[in-house]
Amino acid sequence: MVAAREPSQKVHTYKDIEFTLKKSERKTTSIYIERDGSVSVLAPKPFDMERVQATLEKKRSWIYRNLAEWEDLNRTRVHREYVNGESFLYLGRRYQLELVKTQGVPLALKQGKFCLVKDLVPKAERYFQEFYKNKLKPRLDERIDQYAPRLGVSPRRVKVMELKNRWGSCSATGMINVHWKCAMLPLSVLDYIVVHELSHIENPNHTPAFWRAVEKALPNYEEQKKWLKFNGAGMSL
């Protein structure tokens, strides 16, 4: 089964499953379907390929099912253009783009519109990313302060960055990274991302104990998780 992948990563094949192999600081082997539809295997080093293959075989039906769902959901992926009237997301709401001759900053959200300096359209994606990063960090800090005490954890660091194919990540040392695209999500869904990563501080894997921790902090997490699954492909530039 062939899926999208980053060309810089070495691709392994087990029967009909292509996957990338990544180092994990945990003792267990885990499989993820990335946001681009690729299959990633996180395993302890030194890699035990027989163990990796055994995990892939065990999860074969799960991999097929999730890749099929990814293909269905990504048929509705949005490809936006930087022209007047195009809509862009911020905290779950859509705002139309207006190209302006001049203003104090390259990109601003004002009077219910994204205003972009017309001469800077070739660099529009960069300015949108900077906008999202700058706006997301304080929102993120607020949500961390709200939910970390409920879970009894304290992250070492919280950073907004480019994460390629994930919404968020949590290292074994409690460092949390969140994709800048999360600035496009409704706050309720951002809460799910925050709680998800905070819960990984004490529960590295997606065990029943992990999901109990998520539910304790966010009882309606299933609703937000489902929203992200069906709408995540639209969070794009």
Side-chain angles (χ1 to χ4, degrees):
M1 180 166 287
V2 180
R5 59 186 181 271
E6 294 178 51
S8 61
Q9 293 181 321
K10 183 178 179 180
V11 178
H12 302 265
T13 302
Y14 172 67
K15 296 185 178 179
D16 59 344
I17 300 174
E18 290 189 352
F19 64 96
T20 54
L21 191 56
K22 301 178 182 179
K23 177 185 176 182
S24 171
E25 296 179 14
R26 300 159 188 165
K27 295 181 180 180
T28 56
T29 299
S30 302
I31 299 175
Y32 293 91
I33 305 299
E34 305 285 9
R35 287 196 306 111
D36 66 351
S38 62
V39 178
S40 291
V41 177
L42 273 64
K45 263 197 168 183
F47 297 128
D48 182 339
M49 193 56 71
E50 288 187 3
R51 185 176 178 182
V52 168
Q53 291 176 349
T55 302
L56 286 166
E57 189 64 43
K58 182 179 179 181
K59 295 284 189 178
R60 176 179 292 276
S61 295
W62 180 89
I63 293 169
Y64 284 169
R65 183 172 65 254
N66 279 271
L67 286 177
E69 289 180 355
W70 181 89
E71 291 177 0
D72 286 342
L73 296 174
N74 279 269
R75 289 191 182 101
T76 59
R77 181 178 292 273
V78 178
H79 298 282
R80 294 181 169 87
E81 298 181 359
Y82 300 100
V83 297
N84 282 316
E86 181 67 277
S87 66
F88 289 82
L89 291 160
Y90 176 54
L91 297 180
R93 293 186 59 188
R94 297 182 183 277
Y95 298 88
Q96 287 190 336
L97 179 65
E98 181 178 344
L99 301 180
V100 298
K101 183 174 290 188
T102 183
Q103 63 184 5
V105 293
L107 176 69
L109 181 59
K110 55 186 180 181
Q111 298 179 340
K113 291 183 178 181
F114 272 116
C115 297
L116 173 68
V117 175
K118 187 174 183 179
D119 290 345
L120 299 179
V121 165
K123 298 180 179 179
E125 185 171 345
R126 166 190 160 189
Y127 291 120
F128 266 96
Q129 288 189 22
E130 289 178 355
F131 175 90
Y132 288 135
K133 286 179 182 178
N134 293 334
K135 293 294 185 181
L136 179 59
K137 187 56 168 69
R139 293 278 187 176
L140 199 56
D141 290 341
E142 290 175 3
R143 317 319 275 186
I144 294 287
D145 290 344
Q146 178 180 346
Y147 288 105
R150 299 187 191 182
L151 292 161
V153 298
S154 180
R156 288 185 58 190
R157 183 202 70 188
V158 179
K159 186 176 181 181
V160 177
M161 60 187 296
E162 170 64 56
L163 283 178
K164 298 296 182 184
N165 305 316
R166 296 189 184 178
W167 295 107
S169 67
C170 178
S171 74
T173 56
M175 293 188 291
I176 291 177
N177 298 319
V178 176
H179 201 303
W180 56 264
K181 287 185 178 182
C182 288
M184 302 182 191
L185 303 174
L187 281 175
S188 60
V189 182
L190 178 60
D191 285 348
Y192 167 68
I193 300 292
V194 167
V195 169
H196 187 112
E197 300 310 330
L198 286 173
S199 297
H200 273 314
I201 295 177
E202 293 293 330
N203 302 278
N205 297 311
H206 294 114
T207 60
F210 167 83
W211 291 112
R212 284 195 297 269
V214 172
E215 186 174 24
K216 180 179 178 181
L218 200 65
N220 65 336
Y221 83 90
E222 285 281 7
E223 179 181 340
Q224 314 311 331
K225 181 182 178 183
K226 185 180 294 185
W227 189 99
L228 191 61
K229 178 179 180 179
F230 285 95
N231 297 281
M235 308 296 112
S236 58
L237 290 177

